[in-house]
Amino acid sequence: MSRRWIHNPSRCADEYLDGIEDFIEFARRHNPGATRIRCPCRRCNNTLWETIENVGFHLVRNGMIETYSIWNLHGEQLDHASSSNATRMDSVEPIVDPNDQVMDIIQDAFPFASTNINHEREDDVPTPIDNVEFEQYEKLLKNANQELYPGCESFSVLTAIVELMHEKIKYRMSNLCFNYFLGVFKRMLLTDNCLPKDHKHAQKVLNGLGLGYEKIDACKNNCMLFYKEHETLDTCPICNESRFKMTSQNRTTKIPQKVMRYLPLKPRLQRLYMSTHTSIDMRWHKEKRVDDDVMRHPADGEAWKEFDRTFLEFAIDPRNVRLGLATDGFNPYGVLNQHHSTWPIFEVNRCLLMAAG
C-alpha cells in the first residue's frame, strides 16, 4: 500500500482523501470494537485519543504527521527481520477498563506500598516506606474503590476525577469554566454523590499521584535565586533589589516579586523506572531498536554513537539515561499582543524519544 499521499500538500486532492479512507479502514480493521484511537494528525501528534470519525476530520483539517509512514500505533510494526520498508501486522493495545487503568497508575506511583500490602510469604522483607507517602497511597486507594454514587459501576471517584481533569487539559478549559461544569455534573447526579465541588478539591484528590514542584524565589532582575545559602536573604546581593513586593504593613505574609517553579529531576527519573509501562521504553534504545542505518531515534545519530565510544562503562548499562537541554519562549495566555512570555528550561529524556513512524 503506497503512503505517498501523506506528503501531498493538497488535502483536497483525491489521492489524499483516498489515503485517509485507507487509513480509517486500516484502523477499524486492527482496532475491532474500539470507539477511540490515537489521532495521527499534526496537531494531536498521536498523543490524543479521538473517535474514528473525528480522526478522519482532523487528518483533512490538520494533515497527517509526515514521518508517520509506518502505522505502528494502529496495528502495524517494523519487521525486524527485513528492511525498514517491510511491515508485519501485530496486536495493538487492548481496550482497558478505565478503573483498571487508574489502579495501574496507583500501583506504578506506589510500587513499594502495594508490595508491602500484597506480600504473603513469611520470608518476604517489606520495603520501607514513608508514613506520609503511605497515607497518600491509602487515600488514593480509597477513592479508587469508592463508587461515584451508590450503585455506579462505571466510575469510581478517582476514575471520574482523572477523566474530567484529562478533558480539562485536552480542551484547554479555564478553572472557572471547569468549576461551572463540575457544579452542573454534581447537581445532575444523585444527591449523595462523591464528585468534588470544584477544581481545587479535585486537585487535592490527585496530589498523591502527581510529581510536585518547588517554588524558589528569584530576583526581580534575574540576578540570582534565593536558594540554599541565599534562602534567608531579603534583598539581592547583586542589585540590592527587594525580594518581596511592597504591601500593607498589616499583611502578615510576604509576597515575592518573582518565583521560579522547579520540577525536581531525580523523582521523575525514578518514576519512569518504577512504572512497568515506561521502564521497558527506557531500555528500548538498547534492547529493541532496529539498527539498519536509518535515522529514527537519537541513538541512530553519530553524536550518540561517539558518546558511547567515549564513555564505554556508561554505555554498557541500558538503564543509564542521556538527557538533552532545551528552552524556548511562549506566551502562556495565548494572547499574542500581551507583553509577557515564559522561558521554561526542559531536560529531555533522549531514551524515550522514539520515532512515531
Side-chain angles (χ1 to χ4, degrees), residues 11 16 41-44 57-64:
R11 298 175 198 157
Y16 189 84
C41 79
R42 295 176 185 176
R43 183 171 182 178
C44 297
F57 174 72
H58 282 202
L59 292 176
V60 175
R61 184 182 63 183
N62 305 323
M64 180 177 277

Side-chain angles (χ1 to χ4, degrees), residues 62-316:
N62 305 323
M64 180 177 277
I65 307 168
E66 292 187 356
T67 57
Y68 192 50
S69 57
I70 306 298
W71 299 336
N72 57 304
L73 297 178
H74 297 84
E76 184 177 21
Q77 286 190 348
L78 281 173
D79 187 348
H80 294 183
S82 59
S83 68
S84 61
N85 292 327
T87 59
R88 65 180 176 86
M89 302 307 169
D90 204 350
S91 60
V92 295
E93 297 178 0
I95 301 173
V96 184
D97 183 83
N99 293 315
D100 293 337
Q101 286 182 319
V102 167
M103 291 301 297
D104 287 342
I105 293 172
I106 295 177
Q107 303 303 333
D108 286 341
F110 300 94
F112 302 133
S114 58
T115 301
N116 286 354
I117 289 177
N118 295 328
H119 80 279
E120 298 178 355
R121 297 183 310 179
E122 294 182 357
D123 56 345
D124 283 344
V125 179
T127 306
I129 183 170
D130 183 75
N131 288 334
V132 176
E133 188 178 1
F134 192 75
E135 287 179 5
Q136 289 180 334
Y137 171 76
E138 286 189 316
K139 288 179 181 178
L140 288 168
L141 205 59
K142 177 183 176 182
N143 286 318
N145 292 319
Q146 184 176 7
E147 295 177 341
L148 183 60
Y149 55 84
C152 178
E153 298 180 356
S154 302
F155 288 95
S156 68
V157 175
L158 189 59
T159 304
I161 295 174
V162 169
E163 188 82 17
L164 290 170
M165 293 292 276
H166 172 71
E167 298 303 315
K168 176 186 184 300
I169 295 170
K170 180 178 178 180
Y171 296 108
R172 303 177 184 180
M173 296 171 61
S174 67
N175 290 351
L176 190 63
C177 178
F178 184 78
N179 287 342
Y180 171 76
F181 282 107
L182 202 60
V184 172
F185 295 152
K186 191 170 180 65
R187 293 195 301 272
M188 287 179 177
L189 299 175
L190 299 177
T191 54
D192 51 352
N193 70 81
C194 301
L195 193 69
K197 63 180 181 179
D198 55 27
H199 178 258
K200 182 179 180 180
H201 287 80
Q203 274 194 318
K204 285 183 178 180
V205 176
L206 298 180
N207 277 346
L209 280 180
L211 293 166
Y213 59 86
E214 298 177 19
K215 288 184 178 181
I216 303 175
D217 294 352
C219 172
K220 179 182 179 181
N221 299 318
N222 304 318
C223 300
M224 56 163 288
L225 298 174
F226 294 96
Y227 187 60
K228 291 187 176 180
E229 66 271 17
H230 303 303
E231 189 173 1
T232 59
L233 298 180
D234 289 337
T235 57
C236 174
I238 299 173
C239 67
N240 294 321
E241 183 69 40
S242 174
R243 174 180 180 175
F244 303 103
K245 295 180 180 180
M246 297 294 293
T247 57
S248 171
Q249 294 181 353
N250 296 328
R251 191 181 183 95
T252 57
T253 57
K254 297 180 179 180
I255 303 175
Q257 298 209 59
K258 183 173 285 189
V259 177
M260 183 193 78
R261 287 165 175 80
Y262 167 60
L263 284 67
L265 177 63
K266 185 177 178 180
R268 283 163 172 78
L269 292 177
Q270 290 174 333
R271 177 67 65 86
L272 289 172
Y273 276 113
M274 286 162 60
S275 169
T276 55
H277 300 89
T278 54
S279 59
I280 297 175
D281 293 337
M282 291 289 287
R283 306 188 305 274
W284 178 88
H285 65 94
K286 187 78 171 182
E287 298 174 353
K288 294 188 178 182
R289 180 175 58 89
V290 182
D291 190 3
D292 56 0
D293 296 326
V294 177
M295 185 70 179
R296 300 188 187 87
H297 185 275
D300 297 317
E302 188 57 35
W304 185 294
K305 295 176 182 178
E306 178 61 26
F307 184 91
D308 285 354
R309 289 191 290 265
T310 305
F311 303 98
L312 294 175
E313 292 185 5
F314 182 93
I316 289 174

